[in-house]
Amino acid sequence: MISHRKKVYGVIGLAISMLVSVAPPALAASTVTLYKDTTYQTIWGFGAAANHPVNELKTNYNATTQGQILDKLFRTDASNAGLSIVRMEINPYTAAQDAVQTTFMPSSGVTDWNTDLHQRWFAQEAENRGMNQFYAVPWSPPGWMKTNGSPNNGGHLSTSQYDNFANYMKTYVDHYRNVFGFNIKWVSVQNEPDLATPYASAQYTTSELDQVSAKVADAVHSLNQGVLVGAPEGSNRTASNNYMNSFSAATRAKLDFVSVHDYSTYVDVNHYGKPLIATEVSNFQTANDPSITDGLKWANMIAADLKRGERGWLYWWAVNPAASTSGEGLINLGANNAYTVNKRLYVMGQFSRYLRPDDTRILASSSDSNLVAIGGKNGTGRASVVLINNSTSAITTTISGLTLANVSGRRTSATEDLAKLTDMAVTGGEITVTLPGKSVTSYVEF
């Protein structure tokens, strides 16, 4: 016979067992912690190239459409991306070869500054919207300086033209800065020196680029205008690393930064003691994907580059030509003043609007592997954070390390485009937020 006491204890034990078996497992709360005193690199900015497609925007679209597109790219209010760098081509063609991408130096000793009207228009419109940083690079020297006599199909800069080319680069920088008034802040020696292409291109051996880079750096630095000179800007990081490895110590010392393109797998080019910026990448071989899936792909690339200490990130074209169906542009031009904005632009805006030029990246630690966090602060100590939720599910997280009273934010998701969020009060240095699946959300203190 079972005693009454044993029966009672048995019932209690069964009840406890049932409760334990039914209750869900406890999950650790998601947290993002900002550490304002743990600082990394200075941010240079985010942007895209002007190049020849902006001539199509300038000539084939009405003022209303132009204004809408330019606002989307450069304004920092409403749901605009606030891009902070424009990459400009130093054009190589004579007027007879190309009436749009015409060089300012068609022959030795001759200059013609009534050229490059499309990029200068685009640059001025960007400036009108608050953007004032320009990056300049040649796809090729003018044909008269090259071994093949043409801006196209590769060819090499003639040895006898090394000094002329350095002066050519110096002259461009000086004129664009001091006559046209564009803040050329960075100049690169050559776009993709490892490739010969049917369009404008020039190839350099490692020895050639070593010598030419040193001469260009000396020439541009002689202006004493603080313009930074960089190289090698290979078509992928492997190419850039090969050039850097082969450069002399003297040439490396003269370079102010290292430039790379991201058309292949990641290779570390960030170990030469120089600031690094990624200046080109796109889906040029595939059909355009305007979705948040594509946007998140680039968001994660930007975040990874920033976490490695890189200074900025540029997509390829700001606008994609109407005849193209590829993923080369942030905005795709269409027929009859139509255009479409890709999620990748809004995702870039989540960084560009909240990590402004001269901000400092700070440590932002996330406890959730699905939640990527990038932090920054400006000169006054005001913090911002960009949060990428790679999960398909919403994540609720507590953001701590805040020191001001309130935060404002914006979000890009499958259904939102830099959408304004409700301002929040900070309590005890924290806020708790819910981030939708497959989204990028940015907050800034105020």
Side-chain angles (χ1 to χ4, degrees):
M1 179 177 177
I2 301 175
S3 70
H4 176 70
R5 181 179 296 177
K6 287 183 178 179
K7 283 184 178 180
V8 171
Y9 287 169
V11 170
I12 292 173
L14 178 62
I16 291 173
S17 174
M18 291 177 64
L19 286 171
V20 170
S21 64
V22 170
L27 298 177
S30 172
T31 61
V32 171
T33 307
L34 303 181
Y35 298 90
K36 289 190 178 184
D37 292 334
T38 303
T39 59
Y40 302 101
Q41 76 272 26
T42 299
I43 299 297
W44 285 355
F46 307 87
N51 209 258
H52 69 83
V54 300
N55 184 63
E56 189 171 330
L57 177 62
K58 177 178 180 287
T59 58
N60 295 355
Y61 293 80
N62 63 34
T64 298
T65 299
Q66 290 172 356
Q68 291 171 352
I69 289 174
L70 290 158
D71 286 352
K72 283 289 183 189
L73 292 168
F74 299 114
R75 287 182 65 121
T76 55
D77 60 349
S79 295
N80 300 311
L83 299 183
S84 50
I85 300 175
V86 170
R87 182 168 172 247
M88 299 173 69
E89 179 179 5
I90 303 176
N91 298 312
Y93 296 101
T94 65
Q97 292 169 330
D98 189 320
V100 175
Q101 296 177 279
T102 306
T103 179
F104 70 90
M105 194 176 285
S107 59
S108 181
V110 176
T111 56
D112 177 7
W113 294 107
N114 189 32
T115 56
D116 198 28
L117 302 183
H118 61 304
Q119 288 193 122
R120 285 163 49 193
W121 167 80
F122 189 74
Q124 186 60 61
E125 292 294 336
E127 279 198 338
N128 293 345
R129 290 161 172 83
M131 204 293 305
N132 69 342
Q133 297 189 124
F134 299 93
Y135 179 108
V137 56
W139 269 243
S140 171
W144 61 269
M145 293 187 185
K146 295 175 64 184
T147 57
N148 67 349
S150 169
N152 297 337
N153 302 308
H156 294 250
L157 179 65
S158 298
T159 306
S160 62
Q161 298 295 334
Y162 284 7
D163 289 331
N164 280 339
F165 179 70
N167 182 65
Y168 166 84
M169 296 288 282
K170 172 184 175 180
T171 302
Y172 173 94
V173 170
D174 189 41
H175 200 90
Y176 269 66
R177 284 176 60 84
N178 298 307
V179 178
F180 294 150
F182 298 127
N183 179 29
I184 305 294
K185 194 168 180 178
W186 306 273
V187 62
S188 179
V189 177
Q190 169 65 39
N191 176 75
E192 299 184 344
D194 51 309
L195 297 185
T197 63
Y199 51 84
S201 56
Q203 288 182 290
Y204 288 78
T205 67
T206 53
S207 175
E208 289 169 346
L209 194 61
D210 182 21
Q211 297 174 65
V212 173
S213 295
K215 287 180 177 291
V216 171
D218 285 343
V220 173
H221 290 156
S222 73
L223 293 170
N224 294 315
Q225 295 177 17
V227 179
L228 304 180
V229 179
E233 202 154 348
S235 64
N236 53 62
R237 290 180 185 246
T238 298
S240 289
N241 195 52
N242 289 341
Y243 280 111
M244 287 299 294
N245 271 332
S246 299
F247 284 172
S248 66
T251 295
R252 283 200 295 264
K254 291 179 179 183
L255 293 175
D256 301 302
F257 66 94
V258 176
S259 48
V260 301
H261 290 182
D262 260 325
Y263 290 111
S264 188
T265 56
Y266 176 76
V267 170
D268 180 17
V269 201
N270 205 8
H271 54 273
Y272 295 98
K274 302 287 182 180
L276 188 147
I277 183 169
T279 58
E280 186 182 318
V281 70
S282 73
N283 287 330
F284 73 97
Q285 290 180 315
T286 59
N288 185 52
D289 179 359
S291 75
I292 191 62
T293 300
D294 179 77
L296 287 172
K297 166 185 163 180
W298 304 117
N300 282 286
M301 181 181 284
I302 296 170
D305 287 354
L306 293 176
K307 284 179 178 287
R308 288 189 287 259
E310 299 179 16
R311 302 302 182 99
W313 194 89
L314 282 69
Y315 201 71
W316 176 207
W317 281 331
V319 294
N320 201 39
S324 172
T325 59
S326 71
E328 294 182 78
L330 297 173
I331 293 177
N332 283 41
L333 300 177
N336 302 318
N337 285 292
Y339 64 93
T340 56
V341 183
N342 299 300
K343 287 289 184 181
R344 66 184 76 103
L345 174 61
Y346 294 115
V347 163
M348 282 190 69
Q350 297 287 161
F351 289 89
S352 191
R353 288 279 297 271
Y354 290 85
L355 298 171
R356 299 300 295 167
D358 297 323
D359 282 2
T360 301
R361 186 172 73 85
I362 62 173
L363 177 60
S365 176
S366 170
S367 68
D368 189 329
S369 61
N370 286 311
L371 187 59
V372 177
I374 298 290
K377 68 176 182 179
N378 70 2
T380 69
R382 183 187 67 199
S384 59
V385 62
V386 182
L387 303 167
I388 307 169
N389 181 3
N390 286 306
S391 169
T392 57
S393 301
I395 294 176
T396 297
T397 191
T398 297
I399 304 171
S400 62
L402 301 166
T403 58
L404 300 186
N406 303 283
V407 298
S408 64
R410 289 185 179 271
R411 176 179 297 129
T412 297
S413 66
T415 58
E416 299 163 297
D417 299 324
L418 276 165
K420 178 73 171 67
L421 306 177
T422 302
D423 292 347
M424 300 179 65
V426 175
T427 303
E430 297 181 346
I431 59 170
T432 298
V433 297
T434 298
L435 309 170
K438 300 295 183 183
S439 67
V440 185
T441 308
S442 304
Y443 293 102
V444 64
E445 295 180 300
F446 70 96

